[in-house]
C-alpha cells in the first residue's frame, strides 16, 4: 500500500466515479484502476461494487474509508510539522540550576537576536541529571559544571567562578576577608542541592569537626541569594557581582572554583548544536 493508492481511493469516493477521479488526479484511467485493484489485493477485500455508472463502496470499502482518511490526515500533519521544524528549528538546552537566570537569559536572548528563527527549549536540573538527559537524548546540549577531566572533544569551557562563603552584609563575618572553617560550627546554613563546593571538598566539615544548622535546602540559585539577603543564613556559592546585602568571605586553606561550559554527546553533532557552541564561545559573560 502506498499513498498514491489511498489518494486514488479517496478521489473515486469524492467524485463517485473512476473516470472523474482520473481527471481530477491527472492520471490515466487504466493506471487508476490498476492502483485500486492492487490495493484491493493487498487488503484482501473489494472496495467498490463493479458495474454501473457510479462507483459504490462495498461494506468493506465503507470501513476502509475512515481509515484511509486518517492515514492521509496523519501523513499531512507529520509533513506540516517537519516543514515547520525546518523553518523554525528547536534547540533543547539543559541548564544547571545553580546558574543565575540573568546569565542564561542574556546568552539565549543574544543568540536569538542573531537567529530569530531558532526556538530554544530550556530545561534546568542538577549536574548528574543533566548528564543523564543528554545521554538519553532528552536534550541536545547542556550548559553545566564541567569536571577537570571532561573530554574536550565533546565539551567547551565558557567561564570560571570562585566559590566562597556568602553571608548577609549585617553578619559579623562580613567585616572580615577570611575566616577559619571551624568558625562555621553552629551557623545557620542554606544548603544548595548538589553544591559544587561539597562535590570538591566533601570532607571539609568532617575533618574540622564542624556541624552547621541547615535552615533551608534550595535547588535554585535565586532562592539562595534571596534567603541570604534576608539574613536567614549563609552558604557556599559562586561569586556573583553586584549582589546587594551579600558579602563574600574566604575560608583559610580552602580554595574552590568551578568551570561552566557546554557539553554534548560524543557522536556527530547537529549543525544547530555547532552553531550555538560557536556563538557561546565568543560571548563575554557578566557574572
Amino acid at each position: 500500500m502506498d499513498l498514491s493508492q489511498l489518494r486514488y481511493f479517496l478521489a473515486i469516493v469524492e467524485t463517485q466515479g473512476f473516470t472523474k477521479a482520473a481527471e481530477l488526479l491527472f492520471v490515466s484511467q487504466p493506471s487508476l484502476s490498476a492502483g485500486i485493484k492492487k490495493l484491493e489485493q493487498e487488503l484482501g477485500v473489494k472496495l467498490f461494487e463493479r458495474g454501473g455508472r457510479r462507483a459504490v463502496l462495498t461494506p468493506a470499502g465503507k470501513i476502509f474509508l475512515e481509515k484511509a482518511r486518517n492515514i492521509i490526515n496523519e501523513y499531512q500533519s507529520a509533513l506540516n510539522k517537519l516543514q515547520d521544524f525546518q523553518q523554525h528549528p528547536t534547540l533543547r538546552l539543559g541548564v544547571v540550576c545553580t546558574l543565575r537566570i540573568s546569565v542564561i537569559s542574556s546568552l539565549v536572548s543574544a543568540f536569538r537576536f542573531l537567529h530569530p528563527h531558532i526556538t530554544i527549549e530550556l530545561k534546568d536540573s542538577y549536574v548528574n541529571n543533566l548528564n543523564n538527559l543528554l545521554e538519553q537524548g532528552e536534550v541536545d546540549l547542556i550548559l553545566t559544571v564541567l569536571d577537570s577531566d571532561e573530554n574536550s572533544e565533546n565539551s567547551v569551557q565558557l567561564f570560571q567562578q570562585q566559590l566562597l562563603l556568602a553571608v548577609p552584609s549585617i553578619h559579623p563575618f562580613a567585616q572580615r576577608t577570611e575566616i577559619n572553617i571551624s568558625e562555621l560550627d553552629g551557623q545557620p546554613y542554606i544548603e544548595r542541592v548538589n553544591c559544587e563546593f561539597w562535590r570538591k571538598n566533601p570532607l571539609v566539615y568532617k575533618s574540622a569537626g564542624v556541624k552547621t544548622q541547615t535552615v533551608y535546602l534550595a535547588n535554585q540559585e535565586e532562592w539562595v541569594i534571596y534567603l541570604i539577603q534576608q539574613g536567614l543564613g549563609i552558604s557556599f556559592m559562586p561569586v556573583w557581582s553586584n549582589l546587594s546585602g551579600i558579602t563574600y568571605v574566604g575560608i583559610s586553606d580552602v580554595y574552590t572554583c568551578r568551570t561552566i561550559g557546554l557539553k554534548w554527546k560524543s557522536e556527530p553533532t547537529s549543525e544547530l548544536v555547532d552553531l550555538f557552541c560557536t556563538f557561546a564561545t565568543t560571548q563575554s559573560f557578566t557574572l
Side-chain angles (χ1 to χ4, degrees):
M1 182 191 304
D2 58 41
L3 291 176
S4 62
Q5 292 171 338
L6 294 179
R7 292 193 175 101
Y8 289 174
F9 172 74
L10 293 175
I12 294 170
V13 173
E14 180 182 345
T15 61
Q16 299 183 346
F18 281 66
T19 301
K20 290 184 178 180
E23 294 174 354
L24 178 68
L25 297 173
F26 298 99
V27 297
S28 67
Q29 185 170 334
S31 295
L32 184 139
S33 297
I36 293 299
K37 184 176 181 180
K38 185 177 180 181
L39 178 61
E40 288 178 326
Q41 290 173 344
E42 291 180 10
L43 296 175
V45 296
K46 286 186 175 294
L47 298 173
F48 296 99
E49 300 287 357
R50 296 300 192 265
R53 301 183 61 183
R54 295 175 58 188
V56 179
L57 285 170
T58 64
K62 293 177 181 179
I63 294 175
F64 184 67
L65 176 59
E66 181 181 356
K67 304 299 182 183
R69 285 171 174 166
N70 288 340
I71 292 172
I72 292 295
N73 290 337
E74 286 295 324
Y75 172 78
Q76 190 60 49
S77 176
L79 188 63
N80 292 340
K81 287 183 179 180
L82 290 174
Q83 291 175 340
D84 185 64
F85 176 78
Q86 291 180 338
Q87 297 171 0
H88 303 281
T90 299
L91 176 68
R92 300 170 302 167
L93 178 63
V95 180
V96 67
C97 56
T98 56
L99 274 178
R100 295 202 68 189
I101 296 174
S102 57
V103 174
I104 302 167
S105 61
S106 295
L107 177 63
V108 171
S109 62
F111 178 78
R112 293 206 69 239
F113 178 80
L114 296 177
H115 307 282
H117 64 293
I118 297 176
T119 298
I120 296 183
E121 290 182 359
L122 297 174
K123 180 177 291 188
D124 67 302
S125 192
Y126 317 124
V127 173
N128 291 341
N129 193 42
L130 285 177
N131 288 327
N132 291 334
L133 292 174
L134 183 63
E135 287 304 313
Q136 294 166 5
E138 296 294 322
V139 294
D140 306 307
L141 184 69
I142 56 176
L143 178 61
T144 186
V145 180
L146 300 179
D147 293 327
S148 56
D149 59 350
E150 291 283 2
N151 187 349
S152 59
E153 293 183 358
N154 68 327
S155 66
V156 61
Q157 297 183 9
L158 297 179
F159 59 86
Q160 288 189 323
Q161 282 181 289
Q162 188 176 0
L163 298 169
L164 294 174
L165 182 68
V167 304
S169 296
I170 59 174
H171 195 284
F173 288 168
Q175 307 305 314
R176 301 162 59 181
T177 58
E178 186 177 85
I179 65 169
N180 189 283
I181 190 72
S182 61
E183 296 181 74
L184 296 178
D185 192 43
Q187 288 286 331
Y189 191 78
I190 300 166
E191 185 176 342
R192 298 165 71 244
V193 176
N194 289 341
C195 175
E196 299 88 350
F197 182 86
W198 301 118
R199 289 177 66 211
K200 294 194 174 186
N201 303 277
L203 302 178
V204 168
Y205 276 5
K206 186 175 181 179
S207 60
V210 172
K211 291 184 178 180
T212 57
Q213 177 189 356
T214 300
V215 296
Y216 199 88
L217 183 65
N219 61 1
Q220 297 289 341
E221 202 74 355
E222 307 302 327
W223 276 91
V224 178
I225 291 171
Y226 185 76
L227 292 169
I228 297 173
Q229 288 173 327
Q230 296 303 307
L232 297 180
I234 63 178
S235 185
F236 284 106
M237 62 183 293
V239 175
W240 302 106
S241 60
N242 302 319
L243 290 181
S244 61
I246 291 181
T247 300
Y248 286 96
V249 183
I251 303 294
S252 58
D253 300 324
V254 177
Y255 178 84
T256 302
C257 68
R258 70 175 186 175
T259 300
I260 299 295
L262 292 168
K263 185 177 177 181
W264 54 91
K265 295 184 74 170
S266 299
E267 60 194 38
T269 57
S270 67
E271 292 182 5
L272 198 54
V273 168
D274 290 338
L275 181 65
F276 189 85
C277 288
T278 300
F279 168 81
T281 55
T282 65
Q283 299 304 293
S284 297
F285 291 87
T286 302
L287 307 178

